[in-house]
């Protein structure tokens, strides 16, 4: 394909709110590489709207037509009324001629108990995408995106060969990989077996992480950009391993087997085993991709646990006392430490390397944060979800005073869209009862006192020029009427 995936969005003007929903979908598709054609952007005063519609439907450069259906669209299409009716008269013969093609995709944005009622008669046999339900929106959006890119989530694997070990007298598995362990974990029926599989998973995971070590040749001189390029390359190469960790965490949550107990041990062991095998390494820079990966999977863990409402697990991760090897190359005896140690506190190598490799690209508030939030794993990890997880770590590390030397700095806070919505939930008594554990308190009265005693810093914490500081979230929480509603 010589052109980007191109879609035309057809919809009925119902209300400004509905129009904003359609435009939000269009904007998000553009952000993810889809070239969207829509009247709001591609029609100007004096243009022939009917000619525009016809060209969009018939153009060989328009790969898909997303037909956003609601009650008004369905009525106008079936009654051949207005612009929607004209589009219908064009699309109907196209569908008849190209019955095997799926160029025309019905999309539902308006919530309804029976979304099929919104589908026009001529599209009634087509499978549609339902984006009207908030709880499954991300999952369905990913399905749509994968369809547009022809990259389905579930693909038939390539036919393999008969295992050699079938011909041996004793059958030994060739390799116990992470995915097999995860599948077995999901099937495990006893607590003891789950614990054994988790320990095996941790061992295999750390072994694979270590294979990404950077080991410059003897006698090399430290070239920050050159080593930085290696660090960025390794971060990129480790993304599939990050995705596997996400799948592992989802499995752990779904089997409901004490993720709150196992996760602190996982991060403590990662730090001590992965960041402590620096013996023989020739510079601290050679560990920077491992430090980024630790920071990333910690923030991702909080983001996913937030999504699933696993507040006890979040509390255990953040309030846990970690025994970490400290000092150069982490060979000193273990010391008590907090999660602030997992924060990526030296992004200069990523920043300097990105600027050197792409001098014409606009600068970022934080190159590390930009890299972090753009490694989405929809539907489990979105840019907003990652940033919200980052902010929650800051909020809890500050309020619970988990580290006498400082607090967590949420580098990605400028990318959030919904954290204030999360904070607003503290007005609900039922929600407050669920999150008491986050603040290490046993009652709502204690929670109210903790928030009332909260000291708001009188300094600006955040990026200059961003228009907001992350310390403002503390003030928003303090101003909230804690447990003032049912």
């Amino acid at each position: 394909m010589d052109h980007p995936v191109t879609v035309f969005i057809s919809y009925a003007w119902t209300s400004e709110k509905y129009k904003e929903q359609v435009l939000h979908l269009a904007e998000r598709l553009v952000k993810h590489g889809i070239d969207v054609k829509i009247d709001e952007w591609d029609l100007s005063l004096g243009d022939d709207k009917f000619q525009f519609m016809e060209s969009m439907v018939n153009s060989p450069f328009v790969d898909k037509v997303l037909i956003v259906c609601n009650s008004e669209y369905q009525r106008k299409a079936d009654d051949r009324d207005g612009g929607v009716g004209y589009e219908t008269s064009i699309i109907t013969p196209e569908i008849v001629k190209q019955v095997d093609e799926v160029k025309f995709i019905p999309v539902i944005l308006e919530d309804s108990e029976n979304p099929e009622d919104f589908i026009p008669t001529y599209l009634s046999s087509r499978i549609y995408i339902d984006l009207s339900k908030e709880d499954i929106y991300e999952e369905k959006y990913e399905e749509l995106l994968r369809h547009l890119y022809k990259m389905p989530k579930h693909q038939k694997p390539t036919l393999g060969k008969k295992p050699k070990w079938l011909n041996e007298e004793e059958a030994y598995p060739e390799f116990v990989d992470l995915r097999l362990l995860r599948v077995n974990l999901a099937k495990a029926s006893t607590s003891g077996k789950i614990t054994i599989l988790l320990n095996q998973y941790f061992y295999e995971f750390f072994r694979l992480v270590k294979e990404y070590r950077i080991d410059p040749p003897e006698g090399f001189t430290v070239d920050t950009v050159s080593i930085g390029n290696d660090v960025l390359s390794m971060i990129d190469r480790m993304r599939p391993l990050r995705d596997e960790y996400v799948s592992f965490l989802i499995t752990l949550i779904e089997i409901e087997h004490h993720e709150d107990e196992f996760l602190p041990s996982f991060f403590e062991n990662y730090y001590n085993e992965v960041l402590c095998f620096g013996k023989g390494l020739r510079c601290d820079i050679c560990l920077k991709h491992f430090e980024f990966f630790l920071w990333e999977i910690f923030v991702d863990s909080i983001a996913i646990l937030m999504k699933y409402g696993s507040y006890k697990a979040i509390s255990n991760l953040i309030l846990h006392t970690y025994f970490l090897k400290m000092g150069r190359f982490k060979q000193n005896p273990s010391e008590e430490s907090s999660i602030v140690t997992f924060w990526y506190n030296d992004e200069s190598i990523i920043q300097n390397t990105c600027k050197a490799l792409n001098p014409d690209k606009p600068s970022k508030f934080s190159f590390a944060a930009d890299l972090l939030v753009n490694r989405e794993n929809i539907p489990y990890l979105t840019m907003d979800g990652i940033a919200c997880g980052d902010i929650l770590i800051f909020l809890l590390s500050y309020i619970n005073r988990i580290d006498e030397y400082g607090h967590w700095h949420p580098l990605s806070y400028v990318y959030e869209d919904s954290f204030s919505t999360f904070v607003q939930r503290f007005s609900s008594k039922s929600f407050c009862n669920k999150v008491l554990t986050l603040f290490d308190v046993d009652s709502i009265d204690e929670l109210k006192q903790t928030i009332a005693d909260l000291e708001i810093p009188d300094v600006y914490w955040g990026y200059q020029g961003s228009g907001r500081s992350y310390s403002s979230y503390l003030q928003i929480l303090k101003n909230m009427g804690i447990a003032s509603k049912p």
Side-chain angles (χ1 to χ4, degrees):
M1 183 182 292
D2 296 329
H3 64 280
V5 176
T6 303
V7 302
F8 167 54
I9 295 183
S10 170
Y11 68 104
W13 287 23
T14 306
S15 66
E16 282 300 317
K17 181 179 178 181
Y18 184 73
K19 185 176 175 182
E20 286 301 317
Q21 284 183 276
V22 175
L23 288 176
H24 176 73
L25 172 63
E27 289 165 359
R28 196 168 185 198
L29 288 171
V30 170
K31 179 190 160 204
H32 286 120
I34 305 296
D35 186 12
V36 174
K37 305 294 183 183
I38 189 169
D39 58 359
E40 188 71 14
W41 298 340
D42 296 279
L43 268 181
S44 302
L45 292 174
D47 288 345
D48 187 331
K49 63 181 181 180
F50 294 120
Q51 191 276 330
F52 170 71
M53 296 174 190
E54 188 169 349
S55 67
M56 290 295 100
V57 171
N58 294 319
S59 173
F61 298 107
V62 174
D63 303 288
K64 303 289 181 184
V65 176
L66 304 185
I67 302 172
V68 184
C69 305
N70 64 357
S71 54
E72 184 68 6
Y73 193 100
Q74 183 268 338
R75 184 192 66 77
K76 288 186 174 183
D78 286 350
D79 293 347
R80 298 297 193 270
D81 181 17
V84 170
Y86 182 75
E87 284 182 13
T88 302
S89 66
I90 303 167
I91 294 172
T92 303
E94 284 294 308
I95 289 181
V96 172
K97 286 191 299 181
Q98 305 172 25
V99 69
D100 293 330
E101 283 200 16
V102 286
K103 181 174 183 177
F104 304 95
I105 306 172
V107 177
I108 306 295
L109 280 182
E110 184 177 305
D111 195 11
S112 171
E113 291 184 4
N114 299 300
E116 294 87 355
D117 294 345
F118 295 156
I119 308 294
T121 302
Y122 75 96
L123 290 171
S124 58
S125 64
R126 301 273 158 170
I127 297 175
Y128 61 89
I129 289 284
D130 188 358
L131 297 177
S132 66
K133 308 291 190 298
E134 185 178 352
D135 57 336
I136 60 170
Y137 183 92
E138 295 298 339
E139 178 184 341
K140 291 299 182 181
Y141 175 78
E142 179 192 6
E143 183 181 339
L144 173 62
L145 200 61
R146 286 183 173 279
H147 181 76
L148 295 178
Y149 277 113
K150 297 181 180 179
M151 297 178 67
K153 189 171 185 177
H154 303 290
Q155 301 186 47
K156 183 177 179 178
T158 304
L159 187 64
K161 297 180 181 179
K162 182 179 75 172
K164 294 180 181 179
W165 50 263
L166 283 177
N167 297 324
E168 298 177 0
E169 291 183 4
E170 295 184 4
Y172 295 100
E174 295 176 334
F175 180 69
V176 181
D177 63 11
L178 290 176
R179 288 175 182 164
L180 177 59
L181 283 168
R182 177 162 48 81
V183 169
N184 290 337
L185 184 63
K187 296 178 180 177
S189 56
T190 66
S191 177
K193 188 171 184 179
I194 289 175
T195 300
I196 292 172
L197 287 169
L198 281 171
N199 288 330
Q200 290 177 343
Y201 188 95
F202 291 173
Y203 175 84
E204 180 67 8
F205 188 89
F206 298 147
R207 184 189 70 78
L208 288 174
V209 169
K210 292 175 186 178
E211 290 186 359
Y212 293 93
R213 71 179 284 168
I214 298 173
D215 198 5
E218 190 172 353
F220 87 111
T221 56
V222 178
D223 178 348
T224 304
V225 173
S226 177
I227 295 295
N229 195 30
D230 290 339
V231 168
L232 287 176
S233 175
M234 284 300 184
I235 289 174
D236 183 59
R237 288 175 57 190
M238 292 178 78
R239 181 168 181 170
L241 193 57
R242 191 287 308 262
D243 291 341
E244 166 57 31
Y245 170 78
V246 169
S247 298
F248 159 74
L249 180 55
I250 298 300
T251 300
L252 200 58
I253 293 170
E254 288 177 344
I255 65 174
E256 298 180 339
H257 186 77
H258 307 299
E259 66 273 10
D260 52 309
E261 298 176 10
F262 283 97
L263 288 176
S265 174
F266 173 86
F267 284 101
E268 184 174 274
N269 288 333
Y270 177 101
Y271 190 96
N272 288 334
E273 292 187 26
V274 175
L275 293 179
C276 296
F277 86 116
K279 185 178 180 181
L281 292 181
R282 299 181 180 88
C283 66
D284 288 313
I285 294 177
C286 300
L287 295 170
K288 291 303 176 185
H289 58 301
F290 290 144
E291 292 175 1
F292 179 94
F293 191 73
L294 172 61
W295 172 58
E296 176 179 36
I297 59 175
F298 189 82
V299 174
D300 288 351
S301 296
I302 300 299
I304 291 170
L305 293 169
M306 279 183 73
K307 179 179 177 68
Y308 280 83
S310 300
Y311 300 116
K312 184 180 179 183
I314 294 175
S315 173
N316 279 15
L317 269 176
I318 291 179
L319 302 180
H320 184 77
T321 298
Y322 294 86
F323 289 87
L324 308 176
K325 295 179 181 178
M326 311 301 287
R328 181 173 172 79
F329 295 135
K330 318 298 186 293
Q331 294 303 309
N332 294 343
S334 297
E335 298 178 6
E336 293 184 18
S337 188
S338 73
I339 52 97
V340 174
T341 310
F342 303 155
W343 171 59
Y344 194 68
N345 64 355
D346 180 14
E347 67 164 327
S348 59
I349 186 168
I350 292 179
Q351 176 176 304
N352 294 337
T353 304
C354 287
K355 285 183 176 180
L357 296 176
N358 304 285
D360 298 328
K361 283 196 173 181
S363 187
K364 310 286 184 183
F365 289 121
S366 166
F367 283 88
D370 188 70
L371 181 60
L372 175 75
V373 299
N374 278 290
R375 286 157 69 93
E376 294 177 302
N377 186 322
I378 296 172
Y380 306 115
L381 287 171
T382 63
M383 180 180 291
D384 174 56
I386 293 169
C388 286
D390 203 8
I391 297 167
L392 183 62
I393 301 172
F394 153 69
L395 209 67
L396 298 179
S397 71
Y398 180 84
I399 295 173
N400 292 301
R401 302 185 183 281
I402 63 170
D403 197 303
E404 61 181 309
Y405 300 109
H407 60 266
W408 182 278
H409 297 271
L411 299 181
S412 64
Y413 79 95
V414 290
Y415 295 92
E416 70 85 11
D417 288 323
S418 64
F419 193 78
S420 59
T421 302
F422 173 78
V423 173
Q424 287 171 8
R425 296 172 69 187
F426 279 82
S427 64
S428 163
K429 186 175 182 178
S430 62
F431 178 75
C432 286
N433 277 318
K434 295 177 183 177
V435 297
L436 292 176
T437 182
L438 295 180
F439 301 89
D440 199 21
V441 296
D442 298 318
S443 69
I444 287 181
D445 286 339
E446 287 182 84
L447 175 61
K448 288 181 177 179
Q449 191 60 51
T450 297
I451 302 304
D453 293 342
L454 187 58
E455 296 180 5
I456 308 299
D458 57 1
V459 294
Y460 183 91
W461 287 347
Y463 301 119
Q464 296 297 328
S466 67
R468 53 178 168 161
S469 70
Y470 60 82
S471 55
S472 64
Y473 298 108
L474 297 169
Q475 189 66 61
I476 294 172
L477 180 60
K478 189 164 186 174
N479 292 342
M480 188 60 55
I482 304 297
S484 58
K485 300 176 182 178

